[in-house]
């Protein structure tokens, strides 16, 4: 019962934040909506006993990534009017059709009871995502992907630094 | 009493993923499109967590960890590209970046 109340409240907050990302005119409001969605997902992780990833979600996403987004929004400028006319023919109709299909399908799954997979509370012991348990898997079975992500992060940092070195004087002939 | 099943979480994740896809299809600002990509990644993370709990193993949460690391690297490089394009073209609109068209 408690989980139902949490699901309804936090889930509606997540959907509301996601909608404000899409429909907000000001990019700062879109970033705030994204923050709400990310935080709501962090609450869902706690409900599903993912303690470590909930903490990482709030620190990395709501902290670092959102701050980076807001930094770039402020740098680029928020007062620009976005051109919302559609140059591609039939794209608006296609999007509306896809959205209608999604709403009908999810509604049928939820209200028709077809999507009653394993009820969460009877599926045996819930895996407890503490730091100890996550590390026990990650540093044994998943050690190679872990090292590869370290390499990926190094390459990403080096790439960002290389992209930041841009000489305004001679952009064309240097290519 | 209504039980919250994994299907509920998967349905919510499907809705969030579709909203992100909708944003990519209708918005024109590169930053907003990037936020919508983040939204879709987070929806996938929610399916990983819900499925991991329903199946009773921790691999779902480990997968979330890796998705998060890759998303962080992607944000760093993507925002650097957007800033570099903005400094050259004075615009963050993707429709004006058609110079690679064949």
């Amino acid at each position: 019962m408690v989980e139902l109340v949490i699901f309804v409240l936090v889930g509606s907050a997540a959907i509301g934040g996601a909608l404000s990302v899409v429909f907000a005119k000001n990019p700062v409001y879109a970033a705030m909506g994204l923050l709400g969605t990310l935080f709501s997902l962090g609450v869902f992780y706690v409900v599903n006993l993912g303690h470590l990833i909930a903490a990482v979600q709030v620190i990395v996403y709501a902290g670092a990534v959102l701050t980076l987004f807001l930094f770039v929004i402020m740098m680029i400028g928020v007062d620009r009017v976005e051109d919302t006319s559609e140059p591609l023919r039939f794209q608006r109709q296609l999007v509306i059709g896809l959205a209608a299909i999604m709403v009908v399908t999810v509604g049928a799954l939820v209200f028709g009871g077809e999507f009653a997979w394993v009820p969460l509370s009877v599926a045996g012991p819930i895996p407890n995502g503490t730091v100890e348990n996550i590390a026990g898997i990650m540093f044994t079975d998943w050690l190679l992907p872990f090292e590869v992500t370290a390499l990926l992060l190094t390459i990403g940092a080096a790439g960002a630094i290389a992209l930041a070195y841009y000489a305004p004087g001679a952009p064309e002939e240097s290519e | 009493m209504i039980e919250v099943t994994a299907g509920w979480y998967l349905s919510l994740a499907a809705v969030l993923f579709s909203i992100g896809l909708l944003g990519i299809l209708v918005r024109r600002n590169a930053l907003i499109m990037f936020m919508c990509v983040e939204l879709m990644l987070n929806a996938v993370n929610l399916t990983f967590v819900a499925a991991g709990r329903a199946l009773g193993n921790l691999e779902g949460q480990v997968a979330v960890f890796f998705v998060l690391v890759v998303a962080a690297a992607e944000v760093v490089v993507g925002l650097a590209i957007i800033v570099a394009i903005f400094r050259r073209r004075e615009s963050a609109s993707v429709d004006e970046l058609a110079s690679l068209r064949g």
Side-chain angles (χ1 to χ4, degrees):
Chain A
M1 196 63 207
V2 177
E3 188 173 359
L4 180 66
V5 174
I6 292 176
F7 184 86
V8 171
L9 287 180
V10 182
S12 50
I15 291 179
L19 286 175
S20 77
V21 173
V22 177
F23 293 110
K25 294 266 177 269
N26 191 329
V28 179
Y29 293 156
M32 288 299 118
L34 184 62
L35 174 63
T37 301
L38 298 178
F39 203 83
S40 307
L41 287 182
V43 174
F44 280 139
Y45 296 163
V46 172
V47 171
N48 286 307
L49 293 189
H51 310 295
L52 175 65
I53 56 171
V56 171
Q57 168 93 358
V58 171
I59 292 171
V60 172
Y61 258 124
V65 172
L66 247 293
T67 310
L68 203 58
F69 264 115
L70 283 173
F71 196 77
V72 174
I73 288 170
M74 295 303 175
M75 196 168 147
I76 284 183
V78 295
D79 50 349
R80 253 156 233 284
V81 179
E82 187 180 341
D83 176 24
T84 51
S85 66
E86 185 58 65
L88 300 176
R89 271 190 307 158
F90 304 125
Q91 177 160 346
R92 283 278 150 81
Q93 288 86 337
L94 178 70
V95 169
I96 292 171
L98 286 176
I101 289 173
M102 187 276 293
V103 168
V104 169
T105 315
V106 172
L109 287 175
V110 171
F111 294 107
E114 299 288 328
F115 213 167
W117 206 16
V118 192
L120 288 182
S121 55
V122 300
I126 301 171
N128 199 351
T130 57
V131 177
E132 190 179 357
N133 293 343
I134 293 269
I137 293 180
M138 186 176 287
F139 294 118
T140 53
D141 296 341
W142 295 79
L143 186 59
L144 182 63
F146 180 79
E147 298 292 342
V148 172
T149 53
L151 186 64
L152 175 77
L153 279 177
T154 311
I155 293 172
I161 293 171
L163 282 170
Y165 276 112
Y166 160 65
E172 301 301 331
E173 50 267 44
S174 65
E175 290 167 3
Chain B
M1 186 178 131
I2 306 173
E3 194 86 43
V4 177
T5 65
W8 291 49
Y9 286 106
L10 294 181
S11 307
L12 178 69
V15 170
L16 288 178
F17 190 91
S18 305
I19 293 173
L21 189 60
L22 175 77
I24 287 182
L25 287 177
V26 302
R27 290 303 292 262
R28 207 53 44 73
N29 189 330
L31 276 168
I32 305 280
M33 294 174 76
F34 218 63
M35 286 186 208
C36 291
V37 172
E38 296 299 314
L39 202 58
M40 293 161 78
L41 283 168
N42 272 281
V44 173
N45 280 351
L46 186 59
T47 66
F48 272 129
V49 171
R53 178 174 165 186
L55 299 175
N57 63 18
L58 264 180
E59 256 81 6
Q61 299 188 13
V62 175
V64 169
F65 201 82
F66 287 121
V67 171
L68 231 139
V69 171
V70 173
E74 171 230 337
V75 163
V76 168
V77 176
L79 285 180
I81 289 175
I82 290 176
V83 169
I85 288 174
F86 181 78
R87 284 201 288 188
R88 185 181 285 236
R89 308 288 289 268
E90 290 292 320
S91 167
S93 172
V94 291
D95 270 349
E96 297 171 24
L97 303 175
S99 52
L100 276 180
R101 178 167 22 190

